[in-house]
Amino acid sequence: MFTTRPTLQGTFGMVSSTHWLASQSAMAVLEDGGNAFDAAVAAGFVLHVVEPHLNGPAGEVPVLLAPAGGAVRVLCGQGVAPAGATVAHYRGLGLDLVPGTGPLAAAVPGAFDAWMVLLRDHGTRTLAQVLKYAVGYAEDGHAPVERVGQTVEAVRELFETEWTSSAEVYLPGGRAPRPGELFRNPVLAATWRRLLDEVAGAGSRVAEIDAAREVWRSGFVARALVRQAGRPTLDTSGERHAGVLGAADLAGWSATYEDPVTFDWRGWTLCKAGPWSQGPVLLQQLALLPRELPAYGSAAYVHLLVEGCKLAMADREAWYGDVPGVPLGELLSEGYNAGRRALVGERASTVLRPGRPGGREPRLSAYARAVASGEAGFGAPGLPGLPGAGEPTVGADGGTRGDTCHVDVVDRWGNMVAATPSGGWLQSNPVVPELGFPLGTRLQMAWLEEGLPNALVPGRRPRTTLTPSLALRDGVPVLAFGTPGGDQQDQWQMQFLLSVAGRSRVRGGLDLQGAFDAPGWHTDGFPGSFFPRGMRPGSLTVESRMDAGVVEELRARGHAVTVAGAWTEGRLCAVARDPETGVLSAAADARGMQGYAVGR
């Protein structure tokens, strides 16, 4: 089978990420004696520098980690809604949705603390040792990918007229970052250098890391973040609003561990974050599959996966959230899914069909019901200079606009980690002048309606689309994977997993690259997670490499098919380990032209 790149194999260590500089920085940590967790942290901070349009330190990151010989754990780096983030406050401002940009959309930043907790508890390197790569690229410069400059150009007017602190970083001398020219962020470099200086006398490696966490939560970083949140800022509502993030919110939050949600399927055990994330959607899609699958890549196969995705996403809308009592056991049960499976007919569904686990009545927001019924369209009219709304993913035309990052690492000892950092991107909020990076906007995923699982509630995590994956065979971790893509993440991961698990092997291992390179697709047939929260009933976007006969049959089944570019569906990463031989593997999606795997 032809592939764009080989699936890498070796025995020392493997890294896959959405940017080659992050992958190679992580590999440098492994070569220096660090483990997979040290390497992932180094990569995460480099991604903040080299993919600032896709993530930042004040964003969020869920992490799935599998220490060698230990249990899989979830490390939650998704911050909560601040104390002042109430439905009443936002409604009082005349809002029906949380804005897609600006400080009103800022949750408590989660990424930095999660990286610190991972490094403290599972790493071996010092903070300075893992930060040096990010500091170097911020201080000395790196050659940016084209999408950084394109994103800056898209918001140039906004930066020059309103978000002037962002213009100072991303439009120095009026010039956006360009490929082949060094781009620097000296303010960010100075932030990390000051942080390192302030914790240098703390004592041990662990003490330094904990001291850094305190600087972030209550020191100079926290003070600058709170000042920025209080500045009235033009957002997607067309008005200037101050945020509600306060000092107590930052001081009172920490990244936490929890058990993964798991599902067994044909000898595999899939591990995901809980229903505060999108993660269980992948498990529900697997649970919906019949015993016998249609031929891989056929119209019947694509139709089955698309319709299953719509059903799982409808349940996400009705049931998922950071609340007790989410009926995951029933949502993943065979009895429930037998009934749901029967809903998949020969024609494409154009309606939103959440289930009734245990006879419960599903709860949908009024806005979601309006979108699903066609009373609200897929998108709202944009504001000039404000295209940074929401999380720009793959559009109806198939055009990729980027949104998130991903990194996977496996080391020679068998430690494995998958992380999906996102949020705090340069188009989300103005750059904090003292720090060199912006606040995030994850609160836009919560509804301004009381009583819903995903309602905006102080202290509650907004349901995130971020969804890294770990897979086990016979109880042993063998595969870590994930992708950017917002609502598309678990659609593309489902396609990848079925290809890897059911079809192909290469040189005695999993054919990761072949699974990535297969033609992909996605549907928007459910309410979106990002402002303006639209839906395209019956939609199906496919790559032009899909067989023309398959496309025509899908249209005959009632799918509203958009044929997009040949390489537009996904930016997947993966690493694997064969527990019998110790052989490590890695691959990175060629889509996007910047993700790379490295290893030996």
Side-chain angles (χ1 to χ4, degrees), residues 17-23 43-57 137 142-149 151 170 183 185 188 402-407 419-427 438 483-484 571 573 589 591-596:
S17 87
T18 49
H19 197 289
W20 62 84
L21 292 179
S23 295
F45 279 95
V46 170
L47 288 171
H48 297 331
V49 178
V50 301
E51 293 191 323
H53 57 311
L54 308 179
N55 80 134
Y137 288 126
H142 68 283
V145 295
E146 289 184 8
R147 185 59 65 186
V148 175
T151 301
Y170 290 104
F183 174 72
N185 188 342
L188 176 59
D403 58 334
T404 294
C405 308
H406 188 81
V407 58
T420 309
S422 185
W425 44 79
L426 66 86
Q427 65 273 30
T483 180
R571 285 179 63 214
C573 301
D589 205 324
R591 298 171 179 89
M593 299 293 286
Q594 65 197 66
Y596 273 87

Side-chain angles (χ1 to χ4, degrees), residues 265 268 270 282-283 286 301 469 471 479 481 491-503 515 572:
W265 180 78
W268 294 79
L270 277 298
L282 178 64
L283 309 184
L286 289 170
Y301 179 86
S469 300
L479 179 65
F481 60 102
Q491 301 187 53
W492 295 330
Q493 291 187 63
M494 178 72 166
Q495 295 163 41
F496 164 75
L497 179 64
L498 291 186
S499 179
V500 165
R503 295 181 60 235
L572 286 141

Side-chain angles (χ1 to χ4, degrees), residues 220-458:
F220 80 92
V221 175
R223 292 191 292 272
L225 292 173
V226 171
R227 280 194 298 271
Q228 183 63 44
R231 294 181 176 118
T233 300
L234 183 66
D235 59 36
T236 52
S237 71
E239 304 291 334
R240 294 176 181 84
H241 293 114
V244 294
L245 181 68
D249 300 310
L250 284 161
W253 185 85
S254 297
T256 54
Y257 292 103
E258 58 189 56
D259 292 330
V261 179
T262 64
F263 184 75
D264 294 328
W265 180 78
R266 299 190 181 185
W268 294 79
T269 299
L270 277 298
C271 302
K272 301 289 280 187
W276 54 267
S277 79
Q278 181 175 274
V281 162
L282 178 64
L283 309 184
Q284 282 199 252
Q285 290 179 95
L286 289 170
L288 281 163
L289 292 176
R291 186 175 299 276
E292 297 295 329
L293 298 180
Y296 178 87
S298 65
Y301 179 86
V302 176
H303 173 79
L304 177 71
L305 267 59
V306 170
E307 295 307 295
C309 172
K310 293 175 187 176
L311 292 172
M313 287 295 197
D315 278 345
R316 181 194 73 167
E317 192 57 54
W319 299 108
Y320 289 19
D322 186 18
V323 293
V326 176
L328 275 181
E330 290 163 286
L331 291 172
L332 295 173
S333 69
E334 173 54 29
Y336 176 78
N337 283 286
R340 298 288 277 165
R341 197 177 298 127
L343 296 176
V344 178
E346 292 299 313
R347 301 280 299 174
S349 171
T350 58
V351 297
L352 191 67
R353 298 182 289 180
R356 301 176 71 249
R360 301 171 181 86
E361 195 64 31
R363 291 295 309 276
L364 296 172
S365 71
Y367 191 93
R369 289 196 302 271
V371 165
S373 67
E375 296 174 31
F378 176 71
L383 296 169
L386 284 176
E391 182 176 22
T393 59
V394 177
D397 61 355
T400 52
R401 291 181 288 279
D403 58 334
T404 294
C405 308
H406 188 81
V407 58
D408 301 307
V409 189
V410 60
D411 63 29
R412 61 190 184 276
W413 301 289
N415 298 303
M416 187 176 288
V417 59
T420 309
S422 185
W425 44 79
L426 66 86
Q427 65 273 30
S428 64
N429 256 302
V431 165
V432 183
E434 305 93 326
L435 302 178
F437 58 83
L439 287 163
T441 53
R442 193 59 57 172
L443 291 187
Q444 67 182 285
M445 310 189 80
W447 293 111
L448 296 181
E449 184 177 334
E450 304 281 4
L452 299 173
N454 192 32
L456 182 67
V457 175

Side-chain angles (χ1 to χ4, degrees), residues 26 29 35-45 63 115 118 407-409 417 419:
V29 172
N35 65 20
F37 310 113
D38 298 313
V41 175
F45 279 95
V63 183
W115 290 129
L118 182 65
V407 58
D408 301 307
V409 189
V417 59

